[in-house]
Amino acid sequence: MAHAHASPPGMAGANLARQGLSGKDFRGHDLRGANLAGADLCGADLSLADLSGANLVNADLQNANLSGAILSGASLNGADLRHACLAEARLAGAVLEDALLSHADLSGANLRGADLHHADLHAACLDRAWLDGASGLPPYTTDKTCHD
């Protein structure tokens, strides 16, 4: 008997570096440890995806949906996450050095122990975000309210 809902394909450890994946649907996919360095993921749906330990260095994630995604221990150095939705995302221990997060929605995100040195968080929504132990937070992150 066929199941009504098939699981998303497992892509753990996949090498998708520098691939054009703009607008693709990776909702709920297993991308643990995947290499997505320099990939174009503009507007992609990565909601509820498991990207723990993934390499997203210099990835373009503008306007991407990463709500509820697991990004624990992921490398997002230099990633462009402007206007991305990371609501309720799990970013504990993630490295976001030099990441562009302006106007990103990080409401309810877990950023415990994340490295945010030199990250641009201008006008990012940090309402209800967990920032305990996060390093490199700019002084303006004390205002956690959301701005339009």
Side-chain angles (χ1 to χ4, degrees), residues 71-126:
L71 292 144
S72 302
S75 297
L76 292 133
N77 309 58
D80 190 344
L81 291 146
R82 289 176 292 179
H83 298 277
C85 179
L86 292 123
E88 306 294 331
R90 295 184 237 165
L91 292 144
V95 180
L96 294 134
E97 275 189 68
D98 299 309
L100 302 174
L101 290 152
S102 62
H103 300 279
D105 180 0
L106 290 151
S107 57
N110 180 351
L111 290 152
R112 289 181 171 135
D115 181 352
L116 292 155
H117 283 90
H118 309 289
D120 178 5
L121 288 157
H122 177 74
C125 177
L126 292 162

Side-chain angles (χ1 to χ4, degrees), residues 124 126 139-147:
L126 292 162
Y140 57 82
T141 55
T142 55
D143 174 12
K144 297 166 98 179
T145 56
C146 300
H147 305 281

Side-chain angles (χ1 to χ4, degrees), residues 18 35-39 54-61 74-80 95:
R18 295 176 298 285
N35 182 5
L36 292 153
N55 178 359
L56 290 147
V57 172
N58 296 321
D60 191 345
L61 291 148
S75 297
L76 292 133
N77 309 58
D80 190 344
V95 180

